[in-house]
Amino acid sequence: MTGTSRKMELSAEFRARVLCDVPMAKHTSWHAGGPADLLFVPQDLRDLSAFLRQLPLEVPLLWVGLGSNLLVRDGGFRGAVIMTHGALGGLARISATVIHAEAGVPCARIARSCAQWGMGPAEFFAGIPGTLGGALAMNAGAWGGETWAHVAEVDVIDRRGATHTRSPSDYRIGYRRVEGPASEWFVGARLKFEQKPDASSDAIRDLLERRRQTQPIGEWSCGSVFTNPPGDHAARLIEAAGLKGFRVGGASVSEKHANFIINHGAARAADIEAVIRHVQSRVAEVHNVMLQPEVRIVGEPA
Ligand SMILES: Cc1cc2nc3c(=O)[nH]c(=O)nc-3n(C[C@H](O)[C@H](O)[C@H](O)COP(=O)(O)OP(=O)(O)OC[C@H]3O[C@@H](n4cnc5c(N)ncnc54)[C@H](O)[C@@H]3O)c2cc1C
């Protein structure tokens, strides 16, 4: 079924607002990937709920925040993409130590706001170039901080558009791993911090500067591609296997940080995936360690 025929299943109101056959290269930080059948940017939570109520249940969903940890294959995604960035953007302080943020809020905004509100530690959020929704899905972390260490409660939406509130005990949380009830997605969270009257954006600036020195910031990437195996670093293993600069088509292992794969401008998702698979098999041969991708790979091959 094509994007256009799927769209005809919706009411006139949503037909007018849903986009068809949208290249996901526009919505991922790797700037690669084929078309999604449908793409919807809700106006707010109520609008999202109405959309889900009427989207036929068999249409698969792909939730996308800032696409900073996502590889969509060149054949694209057969289903509906829900974009939260620019949509679910509410952020408020609800007490001296607790904030409420909707899923589309960029993590960097959470870091900056917490510094202004005198609470923390939230600086680590500045190192995550995604949304809160993506950070909740990934248990994103940086500089010793981790998203779920701060979760008091999450708000989720199910496939029929009903919302529920859940607590961290409803999830199994690990390093870059979150397992919870099936067919639910994050629409917001209450995050708790400590009072930190001396919190300032200088700390954020320093951490970002340190990162610029060691990572290829500004190039098209998804950050670290593989999780670190217990007791070691994926970047060290990749570099020691002689893979810095290894290239397929328009994609290569970064010379600056071996756990980053760069799209030099015209990479297809297949080039990036081929680099991922080659790195996995060479590191397994050389070090006897099977690296696991941290990035989410979805969609159909071309
Ligand atoms: C330069 C660079 C540096 C990075 N550094 C770090 C780092 O230091 N630490 C770190 O942890 N990550 C890092 N990342 C990876 C990435 O920013 C994080 O994983 C981030 O949390 C992804 O958020 P996103 O909004 O971009 O999610 P997306 O890439 O849009 O989605 C990622 C996954 O989350 C799912 N998802 C998104 N929104 C929701 C939702 N609302 N509900 C349910 N599931 C959802 C998607 O379906 C997908 O499976 C880096 C990336 C880049 C490009």
Side-chain angles (χ1 to χ4, degrees):
M1 193 183 256
T2 64
T4 313
S5 53
R6 277 216 193 280
K7 188 167 165 167
M8 298 320 286
E9 298 171 333
L10 299 168
S11 69
E13 190 217 329
F14 286 120
R15 268 206 309 272
R17 292 173 46 213
V18 164
L19 303 174
C20 283
D21 305 320
V22 180
M24 289 307 291
K26 282 187 178 172
H27 296 287
T28 59
S29 60
W30 252 325
H31 298 261
D37 286 348
L38 302 178
L39 184 142
F40 180 65
V41 186
Q43 284 162 353
D44 53 27
L45 186 53
R46 184 189 295 248
D47 187 45
L48 172 59
S49 184
F51 176 74
L52 291 177
R53 273 201 302 277
Q54 78 157 250
L55 186 72
L57 275 177
E58 71 276 9
V59 179
L61 297 184
L62 172 62
W63 289 65
V64 177
L66 279 159
S68 63
N69 214 25
L70 193 60
L71 182 63
V72 182
R73 294 192 176 100
D74 299 301
F77 178 71
R78 301 290 75 79
V81 167
I82 309 287
M83 298 292 303
T84 62
H85 179 54
L88 304 176
L91 175 63
R93 172 168 54 166
I94 55 179
S95 79
T97 54
V98 179
I99 68 164
H100 172 256
E102 286 191 300
V105 173
C107 293
R109 198 174 142 216
I110 294 177
R112 284 195 307 272
S113 299
C114 284
Q116 278 164 16
W117 291 331
M119 53 174 87
E123 298 84 357
F124 74 95
F125 273 120
I128 300 163
T131 59
L132 175 63
L136 288 167
M138 303 297 309
N139 193 18
W143 305 312
E146 224 174 42
T147 303
W148 277 83
H150 298 279
V151 172
E153 279 179 333
V154 287
D155 300 318
V156 297
I157 195 162
D158 67 24
R159 187 58 183 80
R160 294 174 192 274
T163 53
H164 312 270
T165 297
R166 300 217 176 273
S167 72
S169 60
D170 295 320
Y171 296 85
R172 284 177 46 187
I173 312 293
Y175 161 60
R176 302 293 176 272
R177 191 175 56 83
V178 178
E179 287 163 28
S183 300
E184 289 184 354
W185 297 274
F186 301 109
V187 291
R190 275 160 293 288
L191 303 176
K192 55 183 168 22
F193 299 96
E194 289 160 27
Q195 278 185 289
K196 243 185 135 195
D198 59 342
S200 87
S201 43
D202 293 353
I204 295 176
R205 251 196 312 278
D206 291 350
L207 289 167
L208 290 177
E209 182 47 41
R210 255 203 279 153
R211 205 182 60 159
R212 259 189 293 278
Q213 286 164 13
T214 54
Q215 298 180 2
I217 302 303
E219 297 194 70
W220 289 352
S221 82
C222 257
S224 291
V225 173
F226 300 100
T227 53
N228 289 320
D232 211 332
H233 286 96
R236 190 197 74 75
L237 296 169
I238 298 166
E239 184 169 354
L243 289 164
K244 271 191 166 178
F246 172 79
R247 184 165 182 140
V248 176
S252 76
V253 175
S254 166
E255 295 281 357
K256 193 165 183 181
H257 190 302
N259 200 9
F260 279 53
I261 294 175
I262 306 299
N263 173 1
H264 296 279
R268 295 170 311 138
D271 298 338
I272 296 169
E273 198 170 355
V275 175
I276 291 174
R277 300 301 166 214
H278 179 78
V279 167
Q280 275 182 310
S281 72
R282 274 303 290 157
V283 167
E285 277 168 23
V286 174
H287 302 293
N288 202 22
V289 174
M290 185 46 106
L291 291 177
Q292 298 303 323
E294 172 185 321
V295 294
R296 302 291 174 85
I297 303 174
V298 300
E300 310 294 323

